């Protein structure tokens, strides 16, 4: 991949990623936000790209996806995990499946635990971790079939086994951080590092007592329907 952009939604603190191949002009968006549909479509047009795929890391509870809108405006194929409950997705992917977009190869890694349908996308030396592994943190596990013990195994046995220099791009950040590496997270992650035990992680995650995401009642049903409300 030789075109790469990290885009940000300042309202939900969501990162959307644009990946494209400069030769075939085929592009992929990961986790696009409905309110920023025009921004993303304009950028794709200005860079002279054709949107081939819209990938979701999971069914989000904090913002509505633009996947359905993008599909109807561009003919892009929408992709979500077969375990995500996103039944409207054109293509439902499973662990170790590869998507080919021009010269970009995207390996699907099943990384459940934040939700039971979370996947990460591993592309070259980058991994897009959704809300499984965040920078110095990990996604909450208290709704949508989340499980701290499942997330522990996803992070330790899938993500932390990638090369240390792999760049980590999460779906959100609230501290102004934009990118990390697997090696950095194994050393400095505050919730789960290379030596954290499963029971330490489970106890920590079960004691967080976080408020519900503001948009969960509207965002979740909409996202299970590719962002179409009602
Ligand atoms: Fe999430």
């Amino acid at each position: 991949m030789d075109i790469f952009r990290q885009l940000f939604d300042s309202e939900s603190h969501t990162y959307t990623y644009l990946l494209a191949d400069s030769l075939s002009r085929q592009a992929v968006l990961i986790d696009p936000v409905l309110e920023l549909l025009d921004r993303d479509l304009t950028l794709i047009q200005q860079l002279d790209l054709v949107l081939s795929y819209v990938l979701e890391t999971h069914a989000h509870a904090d913002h509505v996806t633009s996947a359905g809108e993008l599909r109807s405006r561009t003919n892009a194929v929408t992709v979500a995990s077969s375990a995500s409950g996103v039944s409207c997705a054109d293509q439902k992917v499973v662990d170790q499946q590869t998507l080919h977009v021009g010269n970009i190869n995207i390996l699907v890694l099943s990384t459940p635990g934040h939700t039971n349908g979370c996947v990460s996308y591993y592309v070259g030396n980058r991994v897009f971790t959704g809300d499984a592994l965040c920078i110095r943190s990990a996604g909450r596990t208290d709704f949508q079939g989340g499980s701290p013990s499942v997330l522990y195994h996803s992070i330790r046995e899938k993500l932390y086994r990638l090369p240390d220099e792999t760049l980590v791009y999460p779906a959100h950040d609230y501290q102004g951080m934009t990118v990390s590496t697997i090696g950095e997270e194994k050393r400095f992650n505050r919730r789960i590092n290379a030596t954290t035990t499963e029971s330490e992680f489970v106890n920590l995650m079960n004691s967080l007592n976080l408020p519900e995401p503001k948009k969960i009642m509207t965002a979740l049903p909409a996202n299970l329907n590719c962002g179409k409300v009602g």
Side-chain angles (χ1 to χ4, degrees):
M1 148 195 30
D2 36 17
I3 297 172
F4 173 70
R5 298 294 167 91
Q6 182 178 41
L7 302 156
F8 187 60
D9 171 27
S10 52
E11 201 196 317
S12 66
H13 291 249
T14 301
Y15 287 122
T16 296
Y17 299 97
L18 175 70
L19 286 56
D21 160 18
S22 66
L23 218 59
S24 70
R25 312 309 299 176
Q26 286 182 275
V28 174
L29 273 175
I30 301 176
D31 289 337
V33 174
L34 186 57
E35 286 83 353
L36 295 167
L37 176 73
D38 289 339
R39 175 198 69 183
D40 297 346
L41 282 172
T42 301
L43 180 61
I44 287 166
Q45 189 194 20
Q46 288 171 343
L47 297 182
D48 193 26
L49 302 172
V50 176
L51 187 64
S52 299
Y53 282 101
V54 178
L55 309 182
E56 301 284 1
T57 54
H58 62 295
H60 304 275
D62 56 358
H63 68 268
V64 176
T65 177
S66 62
E69 238 358 91
L70 285 166
R71 170 171 59 191
S72 54
R73 298 209 197 182
T74 68
N75 295 319
V77 171
T78 64
V79 174
S81 154
S82 62
S84 64
V86 181
S87 53
C88 57
D90 298 314
Q91 196 171 336
K92 285 139 190 127
V93 291
V94 296
D95 191 41
Q96 302 300 322
Q97 193 172 335
T98 307
L99 300 169
H100 302 280
V101 188
N103 65 4
I104 307 171
N105 296 324
I106 302 168
L107 179 65
V108 177
L109 300 175
S110 168
T111 50
H114 166 63
T115 74
N116 54 0
C118 286
V119 288
S120 297
Y121 297 104
Y122 185 34
V123 188
N125 65 339
R126 294 177 170 98
V127 65
F128 301 91
T129 53
D131 292 349
L133 180 63
C134 307
I135 299 176
R136 310 296 189 262
S137 186
R140 62 192 292 177
T141 52
D142 54 341
F143 55 74
Q144 286 183 269
S147 155
S149 135
V150 170
L151 184 58
Y152 180 86
H153 291 284
S154 292
I155 293 174
R156 290 291 294 270
E157 285 150 32
K158 287 265 180 63
L159 298 172
Y160 281 3
R161 289 195 182 164
L162 298 176
D164 277 354
E165 60 274 21
T166 308
L167 298 168
V168 174
Y169 288 98
H172 298 285
D173 192 82
Y174 304 93
Q175 315 297 329
M177 301 286 273
T178 52
V179 59
S180 181
T181 66
I182 291 293
E184 224 176 288
E185 292 311 311
K186 280 158 76 175
R187 291 180 65 197
F188 302 119
N189 192 291
R190 285 177 284 102
R191 292 186 176 167
I192 176 168
N193 61 36
T195 59
T196 308
T197 66
E198 182 173 342
S199 62
E200 282 170 345
F201 184 68
V202 169
N203 289 339
L204 171 71
M205 297 308 280
N206 285 341
S207 66
L208 291 178
N209 261 323
L210 299 166
E212 276 219 329
K214 278 181 247 128
K215 289 190 176 176
I216 189 168
M217 299 306 280
T218 47
L220 204 50
N223 287 334
L224 294 173
N225 195 25
C226 287
K228 303 275 183 183
V229 184

